[in-house]
Amino acid sequence: MPRRLALALLIAVAVAAGTATTTGAGEGPTAAAAAPPAAAQAPPLLPHTRSYYMGNASPDAATRLGCANADTQGRLTLFFGAPIVTQGAFGATLWGGADRTAAQAADLVRDFVRGYAWCRRSPTQQVLVGMGTSNSTIDRRNDLWVYGHGVAWATAVRDAAAWAEAHYPGVARIYGAWDAEPSWSAPQKAEQWLRGYDSVPGRRALHANFSADGCPRDTAHNGGCNNGWNQETLWRLAWRYEPSLPIPQIYATSGVNAAQWQKIDEYGARAHGDGMTFFGAMAQHGACAQVGGCRLIDNPPQVARDQLLFVLNSHPLTQQPTLENATDMHWH
């Protein structure tokens, strides 16, 4: 059965029930954990989540950040930076903070979950946290190194997810996440990283927070994108690999990013009989506001979500009844 059919049904059921979809290796229903009682007449939860570029290696700061997001529920990503080796182990940079190993990055995700669990307003709230890195700078590394980094990242994510399941069932689930952008690496290098991630037994699903740099917005015939990528590459990495859950970057106020992803989806449906199911849209309105604005690429999260859903439903091969989530990038 094409992957699209099964996952589209899961999204529709989850949204109708007002709960978060839980897909990926080793997942299943869980009971809600105990939490502090919600305040009387608390304001409603935000209709979107916030995602973050992680710039602080402090456990206390990560815990406070989790608490600060107790007014949301659903999918978000905590992005660490470029893949590196630090302290003799695979890891990632931070934006202004100390480099972290993959295991140390997972510890900060755990701290975020602790803060969220303590401060959430309702015992039914659930956060689905992606622990993210990117394909930035991996062209400098050989294939074995890139593959190994994917393995290390998947292992750290899997272990953090098992911890969340044991200690905060029903409150938080931990996923991988990947900011893969055509302009940042050759397609073959990106494929090596995802192959490594996918090879780990019990690996978690992965928020595919991709861009579609230079991809066509009007055709679905495997048109070229930046840096040797094409629609086939993006469809395969963002969808055909089993862990990938597409939540693409829909930044452009013109709607061009949404159109690019609709055509990638349409290409998959035409060429492989397996169109994509999108799990949300990522915006950067918050991050842009923090640095004084970004001209023409600062969609608010709900606009990003609406743009993507509208264009998907403009063609019978890419129709999708709803999108599970919208998330907005911020600097931490």
Side-chain angles (χ1 to χ4, degrees), residues 13-327:
V13 170
V15 172
T19 61
T21 299
T22 56
T23 64
E27 296 191 16
T30 58
Q41 297 181 337
L45 299 177
L46 290 180
H48 64 271
T49 63
R50 306 178 194 91
S51 291
Y52 292 91
Y53 299 113
M54 298 298 286
N56 193 323
S58 162
D60 288 344
T63 303
R64 290 193 297 271
L65 186 65
C67 182
N69 282 272
D71 58 348
T72 69
Q73 62 180 350
R75 295 188 185 276
L76 60 86
T77 293
L78 303 180
F79 272 130
F80 300 86
I84 58 168
V85 168
T86 183
Q87 302 170 55
F90 287 114
T93 60
L94 271 69
W95 282 268
D99 296 342
R100 300 284 87 184
T101 67
Q104 290 169 338
D107 284 341
L108 293 176
V109 174
R110 290 181 178 93
D111 292 326
F112 180 94
V113 166
R114 291 184 181 101
Y116 181 90
W118 179 253
C119 296
R120 66 187 181 138
R121 296 175 178 176
S122 163
T124 63
Q125 276 179 252
Q126 186 182 56
V127 66
L128 293 85
V129 185
M131 175 178 141
T133 184
S134 75
N135 67 323
S136 178
T137 74
I138 62 175
D139 278 353
R140 305 173 190 172
R141 310 288 189 170
N142 64 49
D143 286 354
L144 184 62
W145 189 99
V146 174
Y147 184 95
H149 191 281
V151 169
W153 204 260
T155 301
V157 170
R158 181 196 63 192
D159 294 348
W163 169 88
E165 186 70 18
H167 295 282
Y168 295 100
V171 178
R173 302 185 75 84
I174 296 175
Y175 295 76
W178 196 28
D179 179 6
E181 307 196 15
S183 297
W184 286 356
S185 81
Q188 297 87 350
K189 293 293 185 180
E191 187 119 27
Q192 283 296 321
W193 190 91
L194 188 51
R195 286 183 60 241
Y197 186 98
D198 193 30
S199 72
V200 173
R203 85 285 182 273
R204 295 288 292 166
L206 181 82
H207 292 173
N209 299 129
F210 291 12
S211 69
D213 309 344
C215 293
R217 61 179 178 179
D218 299 313
T219 60
H221 307 297
N222 199 23
C225 309
N226 286 359
N227 204 21
W229 294 52
N230 53 33
Q231 289 173 322
E232 166 74 23
T233 308
L234 278 159
W235 170 82
R236 187 173 64 254
L237 296 183
W239 178 249
R240 192 57 172 241
Y241 276 87
E242 188 65 27
S244 294
L245 305 179
I247 308 174
Q249 299 171 19
I250 309 295
Y251 293 170
T253 56
S254 67
V256 63
N257 298 150
Q260 289 170 315
W261 281 102
Q262 186 275 327
K263 289 304 176 187
I264 293 167
D265 184 4
E266 184 181 336
Y267 165 77
R270 291 182 182 278
H272 300 283
D274 191 12
M276 303 167 72
T277 294
F278 292 88
F279 282 72
M282 175 172 276
Q284 62 173 1
H285 186 78
C288 288
Q290 287 174 289
V291 298
C294 309
R295 187 171 180 268
L296 304 180
I297 52 171
D298 60 348
N299 264 339
Q302 292 304 309
V303 173
R305 180 178 181 172
D306 291 347
Q307 282 183 354
L308 182 57
L309 191 60
F310 177 82
V311 74
L312 289 174
N313 284 313
S314 70
H315 195 286
L317 288 179
T318 60
Q319 287 179 348
Q320 183 171 324
T322 190
L323 283 174
E324 177 189 325
N325 209 78
T327 191

